[in-house]
Amino acid sequence: MNSAIGERILMIIDAAGISKTEFAKRLKVSPAYVSKMVNKDYEPSDRLIDSICITFDVSEDWLRTGAGEMFVSQKTNMRVQAWIDKVLAGRPEDIRYRAVSLLADMPEEWWDILADRLAQEAQRIYKQEQIADKVRSYEAELEAEAASEKSEASQTIREENA
């Protein structure tokens, strides 16, 4: 494990102004587990990393790699909250409302599976968009080439008739 994660966990504890014991209590893990993470290069589970990020408003990217800002932007939190409020204020037959309702009822152990599937689907859509962009670009090139050839042919006809 990258011992820097342990160092970043200590930074979270310090920023929160709490003890390692309180940190462990909030995450529902033993203080010994927290000590292992910060002192013995013990790799926290993905689930614990998620819990740390949610509980302490920490950026997952920062916690795992040190990149970016330590804390999740309050602006981002407010944007997400506003979207959720808007969805929940909508009609129950709306697809977004139904999706949020399904997520609320989803067992905790399914979240990692869902995240993997969503990442796969996003990747598939991204690849399709890349292909579609290439096709559109190729079509535009063909149209430009055809227009150029038409213009050249018109010019040739005008010259021959002149």
Side-chain angles (χ1 to χ4, degrees), residues 153-162:
S154 294
Q155 180 65 28
T156 302
I157 292 171
R158 278 193 297 268
E159 289 173 0
E160 288 175 357
N161 290 336

Side-chain angles (χ1 to χ4, degrees), residues 12 26 28 41 44-46 128 136 146:
I12 295 167
R26 289 187 189 182
K28 297 178 176 70
D41 292 343
S45 68
D46 288 342
Q128 284 179 340
R136 283 189 289 273

Side-chain angles (χ1 to χ4, degrees), residues 11 29 34 48 86 93 102 106 122 139:
M11 292 171 69
V29 297
V34 172
L48 184 58
K86 180 180 173 183
E93 62 273 7
L102 287 170
M106 190 169 66
E139 287 173 341

